[in-house]
Amino acid sequence: MKKDKNPGREKILKAAQNEFAARGFAGARMEAIARSAGCNKAMLFYYFSSKEGLYQTILKEVMGEFFTKINGVLTPDLTPAALMEKFPELYIQLFARHPEFVRIVAFDLIHDPDNLCGIMGGIISQMTHFGPHPLFERIRRWHEQGLTSEPDPLHFMMNIVALSIFSFIGKPMVEAISGIRVASDEEFYRRRVASVVNVLKRGMLK
Amino acid sequence: MKKDKNPGREKILKAAQNEFAARGFAGARMEAIARSAGCNKAMLFYYFSSKEGLYQTILKEVMGEFFTKINGVLTPDLTPAALMEKFPELYIQLFARHPEFVRIVAFDLIHDPDNLCGIMGGIISQMTHFGPHPLFERIRRWHEQGLTSEPDPLHFMMNIVALSIFSFIGKPMVEAISGIRVASDEEFYRRRVASVVNVLKRGMLK
DNA sequence: CGTTATATTAACCATATGGTTAAACCAAAC
DNA sequence: GTTTGGTTTAACCATATGGTTAATATAACG
């Protein structure tokens, strides 16, 4: 409704994203978001009517960007090997670039999965171009054709996602237990992708 | 300091565990914990001096129980294959039985990893019987002996933990995307263990 | 300029919440 | 029975926080 994209609104969204990622929904402070966005607290209520509203907006935005990227990978001529290569790479690179993503999503996944899944469902059904079911159906067919070893599409996909996403959530934990410190994040993520792709291909490709 | 184990204290700890798991640290309400434990709010401050104190106590207790169980698996004569079989089984069964564990740990892992890692460090160093480093050193040696394909112990362990733990965090997400609904939890976890063990052994065993 | 619609702010408000305290309760010890 | 020490409670307190509002600034536009 304004000339272009409202810069104030965008700053708030960005600031809120960081705050929610760092402290979770309950821990996030509207005042902190406002200060971080360089505006008055009332602005948050002006653009988004409540804390909940702001959160939901971010959730939708984050998930939308997320699924859009994911969608790009899922071309019609996708092979099992290609999926196992591209998916972790995309996931890990995306999350390494936007650490808030993982934290917000993981947070919500723990705290209120139904809400998040509802949003995902909405986004997916909106993507008529390429839904989720086709992928899972294809995974099932791959197994029928003897291309993969995992019969259940759910577990097939879970294995891929688990290895990719845990790189972020669990990194500090495994570091602490092992005492192994990673030199640089960049190097770590490169090796992580390699390891994940390797395990997946050896583990689920026939 | 009393005759045996204080039943009030235990009830509070149990109630707090559920509350923190459900709502996270910031979202948890002391009053709710008290009500759920069937006592006055002041009791919480009597036994544990603050919300933070209560939380830390639980964290230590949870992590302690966790590591004790894990430790049982790590016998001196452990083979790579045995690790890849027993570890996911233990993890998944343990977490399936105590869903609060995952939620609390995951929550803290996202929100305040340094704190959690500090606690883990304390517990581990307390276990002189079997530290963490020996395991990682052994994983490294397995690769030198040509038994495994993953050269980096950190990634080796991350792959195992990721596949196991994500079964809980990510289950609702993958369900929502795929549209596949799991019949019974018991059946799901059984198949989950089978899938994880299969991928790990095929993927990282030579 | 004057009007209008949108942004933006300072000052408030109601309430929830972590935390305190002083008094009471209760079991065992004497 | 009374003292003693741990246990339990109701009633408070200070403050933080989500949310509101009325007034003001800003820009658009005729």
Side-chain angles (χ1 to χ4, degrees), chain B:
Chain B
M1 262 85 186
K2 259 190 68 181
K3 41 190 159 189
D4 204 39
K5 50 161 72 175
N6 193 320
R9 214 185 106 108
E10 293 303 310
K11 281 193 88 172
I12 291 171
L13 276 171
K14 189 104 193 178
Q17 210 165 297
N18 287 326
E19 176 77 2
F20 283 129
R23 311 193 199 288
F25 179 77
R29 302 295 137 199
M30 296 297 266
E31 179 105 35
I33 295 170
R35 208 180 328 127
S36 168
C39 71
N40 190 288
K41 191 180 60 160
M43 287 305 293
L44 311 193
F45 293 91
Y46 175 69
Y47 283 121
F48 320 89
S49 54
S50 66
K51 190 184 187 182
E52 184 71 34
L54 176 56
Y55 189 65
Q56 293 295 334
T57 305
I58 285 173
L59 221 52
K60 271 175 205 147
E61 191 197 67
V62 167
M63 295 304 293
E65 192 171 339
F66 183 68
F67 273 99
T68 305
K69 290 266 174 66
I70 298 285
N71 230 26
V73 172
L74 305 175
T75 54
D77 61 334
L78 193 70
T79 63
L83 177 67
M84 294 181 202
E85 280 165 9
K86 285 183 183 170
F87 211 91
E89 196 181 318
L90 175 73
Y91 246 82
I92 292 174
Q93 275 180 5
L94 184 66
F95 282 155
R97 238 190 216 312
H98 300 283
E100 333 87 48
F101 275 33
V102 209
R103 306 222 280 182
I104 290 178
V105 172
F107 202 95
D108 227 52
L109 221 41
I110 295 164
H111 167 265
D112 188 5
D114 289 339
N115 174 49
L116 193 94
C117 293
I119 291 174
M120 291 199 309
I123 293 170
I124 288 168
S125 65
Q126 205 181 315
M127 290 172 169
T128 51
H129 167 67
F130 204 99
H133 289 273
L135 174 63
F136 283 80
E137 175 56 27
R138 229 192 299 169
I139 294 172
R140 207 181 50 75
R141 237 177 298 131
W142 283 341
H143 180 254
E144 277 177 12
Q145 292 165 11
L147 296 171
T148 59
S149 70
E150 173 59 56
D152 190 330
L154 186 76
H155 291 288
F156 184 93
M157 209 57 207
M158 269 192 111
N159 292 337
I160 295 176
V161 177
L163 286 167
S164 305
I165 212 173
F166 192 75
S167 312
F168 301 89
I169 303 174
K171 186 182 159 218
M173 183 168 77
V174 180
E175 272 184 347
I177 300 175
S178 69
I180 300 169
R181 276 273 129 150
V182 175
S184 81
D185 275 4
E186 180 144 354
E187 174 64 17
F188 169 74
Y189 291 128
R190 206 195 334 277
R191 296 191 76 166
R192 185 79 210 125
V193 171
S195 182
V196 168
V197 170
N198 187 48
V199 172
L200 284 174
K201 287 173 73 173
R202 289 182 49 135
M204 299 206 297
L205 233 45
K206 249 184 192 161

